[in-house]
Amino acid sequence: MLLFIVKRVTIGVFLIFLVAFLVFCGVYAVGNPVDILISPLATQEEVQQTIKAMGLDLPLHRQFFRFLGNTLQGNLGNSFIHSEPAVDIILRRLPATLEIAFFAMLLAILMGIPLGLFAGLNPNSTRSRGIMAGSILCFSLPNFWIGLLVIMVFAVNLGILPTGGRGETVDLFGIPFSFLTLNGLKHMLMPAFTLSLFQIALIIRLTRSGTRETLNMDYILYARARGLSRQRVVFVHLLKNILIPVVTVVGLGLADLIAFATVTEKVFSWPGVGRLFLDSVVNMDRPVIIAYVMMIVMIFIGVNMLVDIVYSILDPRIRLGGRKH
Amino acid sequence: MKNLNKWLGLAVVFMGFVMSVQAKDLVVGVTEEPAVDPHYLFMANNIEISHHIFEGLTAMDNSQNLVPALAVSWELVEPTIWEFKLRKGVRFHDGSGFTARDVKFSYERIPSLKENPNPFTPLIRNIAEVKIVDDYTVRLLTKKPDPTLPSIIPAAFIVSNQAAREATPVDFKKGRAAVGTGPYKFSAFQSGVKLVVEKNPNYWGKVEPWDSVTFKVLGSSAAVIAAISAGDIDVMGNVTPSDVITLKNKPDVEIATIAGARVSYLIMDMGRDQSPEFTDHSGNKLKENPLKDLRVRKALSLAINRQAIIDGLLDGIGTVANQLPPPAIVGYNESISKKTYDPEQAKKLLAEAGWPKGFGITLRGPNNAYGNGKSLQAIAQMWSRLGFKMNVLTEPKSTYFPNIKVAAGVKYSAMIMGWGFSEGGEVSPFFNTILHSYDAERGFGPANRAYYNDPYFDKKLEAAQATMERIERAKLLKELVAYVTDQYIALPLYWENVTIAFRRGFKAEPRVDGAILAMNVKATN
């Protein structure tokens, strides 16, 4: 187990720097941020001075090594727009994204597994067909469009939910959270729902197909033959076995929600890292772009590792670290 | 009777209670996060918010007239010395008094701010020294004679020389350095969420009616539109023509629009011998630059039906531009013909110039600024009717601007641009930047994307700017505008309107410079 974790972490660190290098080159190739940010009134001399003051006149390799040196000292650079360390801004915005992502995932699990189970156990009922058709819709409708639609219906026309923003927050361990106030929950509902739709659809489909497959397994038949109650068969024998693919999807889905909630955050003006990233791309705020991408890689690696560990708990046949028998 | 009195008494107490509890708050929707530090990031959205907390020596009123602010009067002592008499008895939000030292400190802080990708230096570039005469008199020594200086510095905001000493922009966001003299005081800032300011009860001018003003940072203009429709915000600025159509159908939202100080224009390479994106009909690069011929430039301009663009794409909100500066700007020449569209004449001119079937042009523009490139499509259609082979390409601002850098060589031949004339209130900064021949050393023509190089124009422009007498200066600038309009270098398309929206129960007044200020919003009930 320990060896497995050490190996994963080493590969992870290497990956993070590789990605940082690629993104650095990419952002460098797009152009000089000063050209986009500086006022049209500035003279050539003023532009040149500004570029020089920010160290953006150096050739690519020198800029990268300077960045690398600073990074190793824990400094990813100051944001051009926010004028404070990129890491600080991301960390300050991260709780909002984590909160919405976890809330969305919770919604997805609470709705996806029961619905999928129902559809799997009663494959031919009209309601199951309805659920499956609905899941196709959730898959194929673009997120931002659903977001705009629910805003139109619930905020603009019905006026029962706010259009966007985070609402009231309460500090818990010094971090602001919205889910502790009614106003905060109201603000969270629409963006979390919009985000969760895709995950709900995914979980429904996985649970359903898992249920259909497992139902015909010998051990289910045997459990039934033993005269166990239907509840016990479904919730202990069946559910435990179909959860493995679901856990993978939930894990990766959670990383997905954190990394790619960008559009939903933008639509709902949610003050998370996703919106920060989109705004940074528009303004070519290099330090924030790079720090964000590095953080996302880190999250993906971490989540994958966690998923592997949870696997080994759910299925004792899976052993970590490639131990040979 | 006794009972009635008791009830009346209770009612009065209750009313009093309701009135005292009801704080008057205003919520303004904005799309960009404010910098809070008034010297960090020289952008219109930051200046707009700084106006609430800070003030300059001078200010511009809603219709772009110069008015006193922290200075009560100013005069030219010598051609290069401006003397400002400062307002007495003004206090910063922390209670300290405002004096000439704060002016000197603020003007010196602007260029010294480190790692600022968009400094406010263009406003004070002509100021060589700030000299304190006494506590309430300050002299600005300029490098060159500059009669427009007072109208250039409204956005050079004055900060407290104690609170802001050694302060970074982060100190402003935390509030400890955000100490100004303006009608509102800093109250709270949350990144990506909001900036809250509260009434300054000790303001030297009229105390504001709002107890607090919240600038809610919303993710996109679509989010701001949804928020004002649902009543989450009270006021918004920068309403685009397509949003006007949406908002017109909302019974609770009102719209106000006035002619603004921005022009939308096309600029085309007429200086280089060969231009990268002028081609023949089969796509090969032309060996010559047809735009060197005045007749071709004039034909292209005459072929643009500007009114059709305004009616079709801007919902009628905007004005046909027959010259670059709009009427509110010094240099606007009323004697220039209003007629801008004449396709028959255009055809004739093209034939005379030897291009009866036109040639190939690629029109370039950003897809997240300047009307998002929509007018380019319309112009391409109009020009293709003359036989031109048109191509329209748009891209995000973040790649567009690096591609059209004069210092690195402009990669395109025909581009759409926009310009706001708010600084200085006259046409000369625009001419210095866009049309004066490129001269990096003297700071001229940093954005001369037309490669226009006309010694006559340069000389006349410099002469006009050296003229101190107001009326004579305006006359020279007008002549210059007439001259350059006939040269068809930058083709003006339309003057943009400033459009704002507010909820019922509020009344907001738009400003020519486009800023949305709480000071211009009143409650109507």
Side-chain angles (χ1 to χ4, degrees):
Chain A
M1 184 82 140
L2 189 70
L3 182 75
F4 163 80
I5 292 175
V6 169
K7 227 160 125 187
R8 273 298 178 90
V9 168
T10 323
I11 296 173
V13 170
F14 172 74
L15 259 180
I16 288 169
F17 278 95
L18 183 72
V19 170
F21 176 71
L22 290 177
V23 175
F24 195 94
C25 293
V27 186
Y28 181 91
V30 173
N32 195 325
V34 171
D35 291 336
I36 299 148
L37 290 169
I38 204 155
S39 153
L41 276 174
T43 62
Q44 192 49 42
E45 197 192 342
E46 282 161 348
V47 175
Q48 232 39 58
Q49 268 172 7
T50 310
I51 290 176
K52 207 165 172 189
M54 308 209 42
L56 295 170
D57 55 334
L58 302 173
L60 173 62
H61 66 275
R62 284 192 52 197
Q63 281 193 44
F64 184 72
F65 282 121
R66 204 181 54 157
F67 159 77
L68 207 62
N70 289 339
T71 305
L72 292 176
Q73 292 166 33
N75 170 15
L76 286 173
N78 273 7
S79 156
F80 299 155
I81 300 295
H82 306 269
S83 75
E84 41 186 328
V87 179
D88 289 10
I89 305 167
I90 289 179
L91 288 182
R92 197 165 335 112
R93 294 278 197 104
L94 193 60
T97 296
L98 290 179
E99 187 178 19
I100 201 92
F102 276 104
F103 193 63
M105 197 36 102
L106 196 71
L107 274 182
I109 293 170
L110 288 182
M111 292 179 71
I113 293 182
L115 287 175
L117 210 54
F118 178 84
L121 293 174
N122 316 290
N124 295 321
S125 82
T126 333
R127 265 182 275 174
S128 300
R129 295 217 168 120
I131 293 172
M132 296 322 286
S135 78
I136 291 177
L137 267 187
C138 294
F139 259 130
S140 34
L141 289 178
N143 231 324
F144 69 90
W145 187 80
I146 296 178
L148 290 174
L149 196 75
V150 291
I151 291 179
M152 278 310 289
V153 174
F154 293 101
V156 177
N157 290 340
L158 297 177
I160 46 175
L161 290 172
T163 51
R166 201 175 173 195
E168 275 173 47
T169 54
V170 173
D171 278 16
L172 197 69
F173 314 115
I175 299 167
F177 285 104
S178 319
F179 73 94
L180 295 168
T181 65
L182 182 67
N183 177 285
L185 273 178
K186 273 185 166 178
H187 278 87
M188 260 167 84
L189 203 58
M190 282 200 297
F193 172 74
T194 311
L195 264 183
S196 66
L197 279 180
F198 187 86
Q199 306 296 335
I200 291 178
L202 208 61
I203 293 177
I204 287 179
R205 305 211 133 233
L206 270 173
T207 316
R208 177 182 173 271
S209 62
T211 310
R212 301 261 289 146
E213 253 173 53
T214 318
L215 271 182
N216 299 328
M217 291 288 188
D218 290 345
Y219 64 88
I220 297 286
L221 292 177
Y222 179 63
R224 278 183 167 175
R226 278 197 313 178
L228 294 179
S229 73
R230 187 176 154 85
Q231 265 120 337
R232 203 174 154 76
V233 174
V234 171
F235 290 108
V236 178
H237 295 264
L238 189 134
L239 198 58
K240 207 177 164 188
N241 283 293
I242 61 169
L243 272 186
I244 289 185
V246 175
V247 166
T248 320
V249 165
V250 166
L252 289 176
L254 194 63
D256 242 25
L257 285 179
I258 296 168
F260 305 118
T262 46
V263 177
T264 311
E265 284 187 5
K266 187 101 180 152
V267 169
F268 288 96
S269 305
W270 189 258
V273 279
R275 200 178 119 208
L276 176 74
F277 176 68
L278 277 189
D279 294 345
S280 304
V281 169
V282 170
N283 290 319
M284 284 273 287
D285 196 346
R286 275 192 204 169
V288 178
I289 298 176
I290 294 168
Y292 176 82
V293 172
M294 287 173 80
M295 179 200 76
I296 293 304
V297 175
M298 215 140 59
I299 288 178
F300 266 92
I301 292 167
V303 167
N304 269 325
M305 209 157 78
L306 270 181
V307 166
D308 285 341
I309 293 168
V310 174
Y311 266 1
S312 71
I313 296 167
L314 278 178
D315 185 349
R317 285 171 302 180
I318 299 173
R319 286 278 168 268
L320 301 177
R323 203 187 303 157
K324 294 208 172 77
H325 292 283
Chain B
M1 198 59 202
K2 209 178 153 195
N3 248 343
L4 185 69
N5 269 344
K6 200 171 117 193
W7 281 115
L8 271 178
L10 261 180
V12 168
V13 169
F14 181 69
M15 292 277 285
F17 178 71
V18 167
M19 285 175 89
S20 66
V21 162
Q22 200 179 34
K24 288 176 83 185
D25 302 316
L26 180 72
V27 185
V28 182
V30 296
T31 50
E32 304 279 334
E33 179 160 328
V36 190
D37 185 337
H39 299 154
Y40 189 71
L41 298 187
F42 182 24
M43 297 199 278
N45 61 298
N46 286 330
I47 294 172
E48 162 184 291
I49 283 177
S50 295
H51 272 303
H52 295 84
I53 307 176
F54 305 95
E55 292 170 295
L57 289 180
T58 58
M60 290 286 186
D61 70 2
N62 289 353
S63 18
Q64 206 73 358
N65 300 311
L66 190 63
V67 291
L70 285 177
V72 281
S73 64
W74 47 90
E75 62 170 338
L76 205 53
V77 193
E78 268 172 50
T80 57
I81 299 177
W82 274 99
E83 187 171 280
F84 288 79
K85 291 279 180 207
L86 304 184
R87 198 175 288 279
K88 287 177 187 165
V90 175
R91 301 215 157 265
F92 279 101
H93 299 149
D94 63 359
S96 60
F98 157 72
T99 67
R101 280 196 304 278
D102 300 302
V103 178
K104 189 174 168 68
F105 170 76
S106 301
Y107 281 21
E108 285 172 359
R109 183 172 183 269
I110 291 173
S112 72
L113 214 53
K114 283 196 185 73
E115 291 209 342
N116 184 356
N118 185 3
F120 277 73
T121 44
L123 297 180
I124 54 154
R125 72 160 73 105
N126 196 17
I127 298 175
E129 199 194 333
V130 181
K131 217 171 183 171
I132 299 175
V133 179
D134 60 51
D135 270 4
Y136 297 100
T137 313
V138 70
R139 282 186 170 187
L140 302 183
L141 280 53
T142 60
K143 294 173 191 162
K144 278 186 293 190
D146 187 0
T148 63
L149 188 74
S151 51
I152 289 176
I153 53 172
F157 292 102
I158 307 300
V159 296
S160 154
N161 91 82
Q162 284 156 32
R165 190 155 291 272
E166 320 240 300
T168 63
V170 179
D171 296 323
F172 277 81
K173 284 185 178 168
K174 290 185 174 150
R176 55 172 182 260
V179 176
T181 57
Y184 289 96
K185 301 191 279 191
F186 176 94
S187 169
F189 174 78
Q190 236 182 310
S191 175
V193 183
K194 63 185 174 185
L195 167 73
V196 185
V197 295
E198 57 190 45
K199 173 158 70 185
N200 172 10
N202 304 318
Y203 185 53
W204 60 265
K206 213 172 126 263
V207 173
E208 282 296 298
W210 304 108
D211 292 319
S212 83
V213 180
T214 302
F215 297 94
K216 212 169 171 181
V217 186
L218 296 162
S220 58
S221 55
V224 185
I225 295 291
I228 198 159
S229 307
D232 290 349
I233 59 169
D234 304 323
V235 195
M236 67 173 288
N238 287 327
V239 182
T240 63
S242 56
D243 293 335
V244 169
I245 304 168
T246 321
L247 290 177
K248 265 187 186 160
N249 300 321
K250 311 275 184 223
D252 293 331
V253 180
E254 282 178 62
I255 286 168
T257 184
I258 55 162
R262 280 189 69 85
V263 65
S264 174
Y265 65 96
L266 281 183
I267 191 137
M268 292 185 292
D269 181 2
M270 51 81 67
R272 287 183 283 189
D273 293 332
Q274 248 192 325
S275 198
E277 293 189 335
F278 291 143
T279 63
D280 60 20
H281 279 86
S282 40
N284 306 314
K285 201 164 129 179
L286 287 179
K287 292 212 168 57
E288 57 188 315
N289 183 348
L291 263 72
K292 287 198 164 193
D293 189 332
L294 172 65
R295 289 170 296 188
V296 176
R297 303 201 295 268
K298 189 170 177 184
L300 287 171
S301 182
L302 288 175
I304 302 172
N305 186 347
R306 293 164 172 84
Q307 193 60 49
I309 295 178
I310 293 170
D311 292 340
L313 297 172
L314 307 179
D315 198 33
I317 299 172
T319 313
V320 169
N322 64 340
Q323 55 191 295
L324 290 156
I329 299 304
V330 178
Y332 172 79
N333 190 329
E334 47 290 282
S335 60
I336 292 174
S337 160
K338 293 267 187 300
K339 188 173 164 135
T340 56
Y341 178 53
D342 189 346
E344 288 313 307
Q345 172 81 3
K347 256 181 225 162
K348 222 182 280 166
L349 283 167
L350 274 182
E352 272 175 37
W355 298 96
K357 289 222 170 65
F359 46 94
I361 297 179
T362 304
L363 278 173
R364 297 281 194 162
N367 55 20
N368 48 0
Y370 308 147
N372 307 343
K374 279 189 214 152
S375 37
L376 292 181
Q377 294 286 354
I379 294 165
Q381 273 181 29
M382 293 165 190
W383 285 355
S384 57
R385 261 176 240 154
L386 293 180
F388 283 89
K389 183 178 173 281
M390 297 304 302
N391 193 7
V392 174
L393 289 172
T394 61
E395 61 195 307
K397 272 192 297 187
S398 46
T399 58
Y400 181 64
F401 285 113
N403 280 331
I404 57 170
K405 226 178 128 171
V406 173
V410 179
K411 291 186 186 140
Y412 306 149
S413 298
M415 296 141 270
I416 191 165
M417 298 298 300
W419 183 274
F421 289 93
S422 34
E423 272 82 28
E426 62 168 45
V427 73
S428 50
F430 175 79
F431 282 173
N432 285 340
T433 312
I434 309 289
L435 294 180
H436 192 291
S437 60
Y438 180 61
D439 185 341
E441 225 159 86
R442 292 171 62 220
F444 283 117
N448 185 343
R449 302 186 174 104
Y451 290 87
Y452 177 49
N453 189 342
D454 182 348
Y456 174 76
F457 176 84
D458 293 354
K459 219 170 74 195
K460 248 187 115 120
L461 176 60
E462 286 170 45
Q465 288 186 87
T467 309
M468 302 298 280
E469 206 281 310
R470 214 164 52 93
I471 295 168
E472 178 63 18
R473 184 180 172 100
K475 195 183 134 241
L476 290 174
L477 287 173
K478 272 184 194 179
E479 285 170 18
L480 208 56
V481 169
Y483 173 76
V484 88
T485 306
D486 286 339
Q487 292 290 314
Y488 296 93
I489 312 300
L491 307 182
L493 298 174
Y494 54 86
W495 296 311
E496 294 171 18
N497 263 35
V498 171
T499 310
I500 62 173
F502 42 92
R503 295 282 298 179
R504 189 185 283 166
F506 297 87
K507 181 90 197 145
E509 231 183 295
R511 279 172 62 96
V512 170
D513 64 7
I516 185 133
L517 302 182
M519 290 76 94
N520 278 348
V521 186
K522 286 178 186 69
T524 53
N525 49 5

